[in-house]
Amino acid sequence: MRVQDVGEFGLIDRLARRVGQHGADVVVGLGDDTAVVRSPERRGTYLLLTCDVQVEGVHFSVDSIDPVRLGRRLAAINLSDVAAMGGTPRYFLLSLAMPQDTEVSFLEGLYDGLRQEAEPLGTMIVGGNVTRNAILILDAFLLGEVRPDELLLRSGAQVGDRVLVTGRLGASRAGLALLRGEARGLAAEVREALLEAHLAPRARVREGRSLAGSRGVTAMIDLSDGLASDVGHLCQASNVGVRIWAETLPVDAATSLAARASGSDQLAWALHGGEDYELCFTAPPGKVKQLSQAVLEATGTPLTVVGEILPPEQGLLLAGPDGRDNPLQPAGWDHLARRQAADPS
Amino acid sequence: MRVQDVGEFGLIDRLARRVGQHGADVVVGLGDDTAVVRSPERRGTYLLLTCDVQVEGVHFSVDSIDPVRLGRRLAAINLSDVAAMGGTPRYFLLSLAMPQDTEVSFLEGLYDGLRQEAEPLGTMIVGGNVTRNAILILDAFLLGEVRPDELLLRSGAQVGDRVLVTGRLGASRAGLALLRGEARGLAAEVREALLEAHLAPRARVREGRSLAGSRGVTAMIDLSDGLASDVGHLCQASNVGVRIWAETLPVDAATSLAARASGSDQLAWALHGGEDYELCFTAPPGKVKQLSQAVLEATGTPLTVVGEILPPEQGLLLAGPDGRDNPLQPAGWDHLARRQAADPS
């Protein structure tokens, strides 16, 4: 069944059935001019607003992607932004632009995937919009909240702080290599883990809440463009420099295997691969042990110290395996520029 | 200057300069993982969430539209949805997907237009997102608020209520006729007024607030698809029927002139033209005079009684100039169906 067969209102009815039961805080979900939600009752709570888009042909291919995974991915990208503020995600709006011959089941799968990521966090889809377009565009808007004393910004890193990351780096890039057919001969469970990391990354919402509640974190960002690029954003906002220690970067065994199988450099994947959606944050050295224990106990996710904050005049450095400093090149993709930001040409 | 010349971060910097100074309620605007805004302080305030998209080739043409007007239009479409709930708009996020050769000045004009509509209402742009796409897509998200006792839903219309609209109907459709070259020989000021109505309609936010504060309104919706279609949505949500009185529909002189010049039926424009972004609401007959005075004094906008609410079994009726009832056909455009919803074929 295609979108043109059910029409705009038929489609909205069908999608409304995928968003599930609303809690008591949702006064009106889909079906009126706007969604209506109860405001957080605690005085002085901050609201967090973010949006992120996935475009067919740029971020995904309709022919090859599983719609449920695409929905999970769209959820995760937005949830990760709220996680990076130390916040709690609350309400999604989903704006869809699509060709009229889009399969309705594809869109329903998308909603199911979004719910799979959102519901366990208490986050609900409360509205959205559908319109026509030559290609499929998915734009999600997420409203979250945070206590003012738990808000974690990109600014705030102090000279001497350690730089930490959650989880592991480069796995999403390894999954991309598999999709491109660059890494062959890997075991099925290795392939599946890496494809999942790329196609349906998991936002570190609980880890972000744990870090925010533990105090001691001075600045935080999520890793969408790659560690080298994103830690650069954090340093710029904090007006500091950084030294990343190449040998400490957490790369898991599956990613190492894929890098070897494809003749790629796993360090480059960990630094520049992007789309890992791990959290990167800074904290004084004396807080590292306490934070690591708190996050591990609350979520099961390990933290790794990957560098140190320097005075701003030292810039952005990468200490290689030989111990020597090199410039840390932000090779993350600039979505709109003529070429990659770090292209040396 | 094109987007590819300044890159993603250069573009974000430039656009951030167009969003203006934030008030004290905006803790973080553009530049971190999410925008951070202070939650409304009054206990029990409801938050209103809405989004609406404008797609190049579907809703506008880059070659012919003034970007400032396009920004104003994008603002108005979303502001109108919050107005239709009786709410106060607060924060915009703007999500842009664009070709790399998009003129930066076009995007800056877009932001300027959005601000022109938003700022006088105390509404701010606090964030957004940019990405690549073959065509330009503008997706705006708007967060508003409303006191629970002032919330106006589509449901709530009672048998015997009068149906009212703000302002005038059909002017946007008349402006479209001018753009299509269907109505020639009109005076410059007539042309300009109708083009403005189509290209940059004004949301009835103050009117909506006045109606919400005056009490007595039982249901409300904004007119995006056309009166016939939208009053049908209101009746469906309220489980009632309606009789619209054709002779009462407020059509201004400029629209009448354009209808005559193009050989079109001004009644059809008023019923089905769409995109007027007036408010349509219901109220008991005894409240009509008080509401009309309150809105006129607060905003200068006239209200017109255009029909009456009937029991549901009477359905949706249009009383013609001869006094006879005919079915009220919802001929609003279904954006996704194979053909227009009311196509009788």
Side-chain angles (χ1 to χ4, degrees):
Chain A
M1 188 187 313
R2 293 174 189 275
V3 166
Q4 64 204 12
D5 301 323
V6 295
E8 178 179 358
F9 301 112
L11 178 64
I12 291 171
D13 279 349
R14 280 175 175 269
L15 297 181
R17 279 179 236 142
R18 319 300 281 200
V19 306
Q21 287 302 306
H22 290 127
D25 280 352
V26 179
V27 183
V28 179
L30 304 178
D32 214 301
D33 297 291
T34 79
V36 182
V37 301
R38 248 173 262 277
S39 175
E41 296 285 317
R42 289 169 299 178
R43 286 180 72 84
T45 295
Y46 288 162
L47 300 174
L48 306 171
L49 300 91
T50 188
C51 58
D52 216 294
V53 70
Q54 296 279 291
V55 177
E56 179 185 345
V58 177
H59 301 100
F60 66 92
S61 161
V62 169
D63 297 330
S64 63
I65 200 164
D66 163 23
V68 175
R69 272 180 164 157
L70 180 58
R72 289 179 53 200
R73 177 183 179 77
L74 183 64
I77 294 170
N78 284 281
L79 291 167
S80 183
D81 278 327
V82 168
M85 310 300 279
T88 301
R90 297 292 301 272
Y91 304 109
F92 267 114
L93 294 191
L94 189 53
S95 187
L96 301 174
M98 71 194 78
Q100 291 170 282
D101 64 354
T102 302
E103 285 289 347
V104 171
S105 62
F106 187 93
L107 301 174
E108 290 175 337
L110 190 71
Y111 266 66
D112 291 346
L114 208 141
R115 274 182 70 186
Q116 280 179 25
E117 292 299 308
E119 276 194 353
L121 300 167
T123 308
M124 282 166 291
I125 309 172
V126 294
N129 183 67
V130 294
T131 194
R132 256 190 313 156
N133 189 37
I135 60 169
L136 187 58
I137 298 201
L138 319 169
D139 202 0
F141 168 80
L142 178 60
L143 179 69
E145 59 178 308
V146 67
R147 282 175 45 171
D149 59 350
E150 296 189 350
L151 177 66
L152 292 173
L153 301 179
R154 294 179 182 182
S155 54
Q158 302 294 319
V159 175
D161 280 354
R162 294 293 177 259
V163 180
L164 294 92
V165 296
T166 59
R168 70 271 153 109
L169 301 176
S172 176
R173 180 63 185 79
L176 182 61
L178 292 186
L179 283 180
R180 289 177 177 169
E182 296 169 2
R184 298 175 183 281
L186 298 173
E189 58 268 36
V190 170
R191 287 184 59 84
E192 187 51 34
L194 296 176
L195 287 174
E196 183 80 359
H198 182 70
L199 296 173
R202 180 142 283 169
R204 297 299 197 179
V205 174
R206 293 197 175 89
E207 292 78 0
R209 289 293 308 131
S210 176
L211 290 166
S214 300
R215 313 301 156 98
V217 174
T218 51
M220 188 150 75
I221 191 171
D222 73 317
L223 297 180
S224 52
D225 293 339
L227 176 65
S229 179
D230 290 322
V231 85
H233 297 317
L234 184 149
C235 289
Q236 186 178 19
S238 296
N239 191 31
V240 295
V242 71
R243 178 181 288 115
I244 296 295
W245 303 320
E247 290 207 301
T248 65
L249 298 184
V251 176
D252 67 15
T255 302
S256 286
L257 285 171
R260 207 173 312 154
S262 68
S264 302
D265 177 5
Q266 72 174 45
L267 175 61
W269 281 5
L271 284 171
H272 309 302
E275 303 191 325
D276 279 319
Y277 298 104
E278 299 289 355
L279 296 174
C280 172
F281 61 96
T282 56
K287 291 279 189 180
V288 167
K289 191 172 172 187
Q290 173 211 325
L291 289 171
S292 297
Q293 284 177 343
V295 173
L296 191 64
E297 279 169 23
T299 69
T301 302
L303 303 183
T304 308
V305 178
V306 298
E308 62 188 324
I309 295 296
L310 304 176
E313 60 274 16
Q314 291 195 245
L316 309 179
L317 303 175
L318 177 69
D322 58 0
R324 288 201 203 156
D325 284 337
N326 285 293
L328 181 69
Q329 301 279 2
W333 181 259
D334 184 321
H335 300 286
L336 295 168
R338 285 179 192 277
R339 50 175 186 249
Q340 282 196 262
D343 185 336
S345 66
Chain B
M1 188 187 312
R2 293 174 189 275
V3 167
Q4 64 205 11
D5 302 322
V6 295
E8 179 179 359
F9 301 112
L11 178 64
I12 292 171
D13 280 349
R14 280 174 174 269
L15 297 181
R17 280 180 235 142
R18 319 299 283 197
V19 306
Q21 288 302 307
H22 290 128
D25 280 353
V26 179
V27 183
V28 179
L30 304 179
D32 213 301
D33 297 291
T34 79
V36 182
V37 300
R38 248 173 262 278
S39 175
E41 295 285 316
R42 288 169 300 180
R43 285 180 72 84
T45 296
Y46 288 161
L47 299 174
L48 305 171
L49 299 93
T50 188
C51 59
D52 215 294
V53 69
Q54 294 279 293
V55 177
E56 178 185 345
V58 177
H59 301 99
F60 66 92
S61 160
V62 170
D63 298 330
S64 63
I65 200 163
D66 163 23
V68 176
R69 271 180 164 157
L70 181 58
R72 290 179 53 201
R73 178 184 178 76
L74 183 64
I77 294 171
N78 284 281
L79 291 167
S80 182
D81 278 327
V82 168
M85 309 300 279
T88 302
R90 296 291 303 271
Y91 304 109
F92 266 115
L93 293 192
L94 189 53
S95 187
L96 301 173
M98 71 193 80
Q100 290 170 282
D101 64 353
T102 302
E103 284 290 347
V104 171
S105 63
F106 187 93
L107 301 174
E108 290 175 337
L110 191 72
Y111 267 67
D112 291 346
L114 207 141
R115 274 183 69 187
Q116 280 180 25
E117 293 299 308
E119 276 195 351
L121 301 167
T123 309
M124 282 165 292
I125 309 173
V126 295
N129 181 67
V130 295
T131 194
R132 255 190 314 155
N133 189 36
I135 60 169
L136 187 59
I137 298 201
L138 319 169
D139 203 358
F141 293 98
L142 179 59
L143 179 69
E145 59 178 309
V146 68
R147 283 176 43 172
D149 58 350
E150 296 189 348
L151 177 67
L152 293 173
L153 302 180
R154 294 179 182 181
S155 55
Q158 302 293 319
V159 175
D161 280 354
R162 293 293 177 258
V163 180
L164 293 93
V165 296
T166 59
R168 66 248 151 132
L169 301 176
S172 177
R173 180 63 185 78
L176 182 61
L178 293 184
L179 283 181
R180 289 178 177 169
E182 295 168 2
R184 298 176 183 280
L186 298 173
E189 58 268 36
V190 170
R191 286 185 59 83
E192 187 53 35
L194 296 176
L195 287 174
E196 183 81 358
H198 182 70
L199 296 173
R202 181 141 281 169
R204 298 298 197 180
V205 174
R206 293 196 175 89
E207 292 78 0
R209 291 291 309 132
S210 176
L211 289 166
S214 300
R215 312 302 156 99
V217 174
T218 50
M220 189 151 73
I221 192 170
D222 73 317
L223 298 180
S224 52
D225 292 339
L227 175 65
S229 180
D230 290 321
V231 84
H233 296 317
L234 184 149
C235 289
Q236 187 179 19
S238 296
N239 190 31
V240 294
V242 70
R243 177 182 289 116
I244 297 295
W245 303 321
E247 290 207 300
T248 65
L249 298 184
V251 176
D252 67 15
T255 301
S256 285
L257 286 170
R260 209 172 312 153
S262 67
S264 302
D265 177 5
Q266 71 174 45
L267 175 61
W269 282 5
L271 284 171
H272 309 302
E275 303 190 327
D276 280 319
Y277 298 105
E278 299 289 354
L279 296 174
C280 173
F281 60 96
T282 55
K287 290 279 189 180
V288 167
K289 191 172 173 186
Q290 172 211 324
L291 289 170
S292 297
Q293 284 177 344
V295 173
L296 191 65
E297 278 169 25
T299 68
T301 301
L303 303 183
T304 307
V305 178
V306 298
E308 62 188 323
I309 295 297
L310 305 176
E313 59 274 16
Q314 292 195 243
L316 310 178
L317 303 175
L318 177 69
D322 57 0
R324 289 201 202 154
D325 284 336
N326 285 292
L328 180 69
Q329 300 279 3
W333 180 258
D334 183 320
H335 300 285
L336 294 169
R338 284 180 194 275
R339 50 177 185 247
Q340 283 197 262
D343 185 336
S345 66

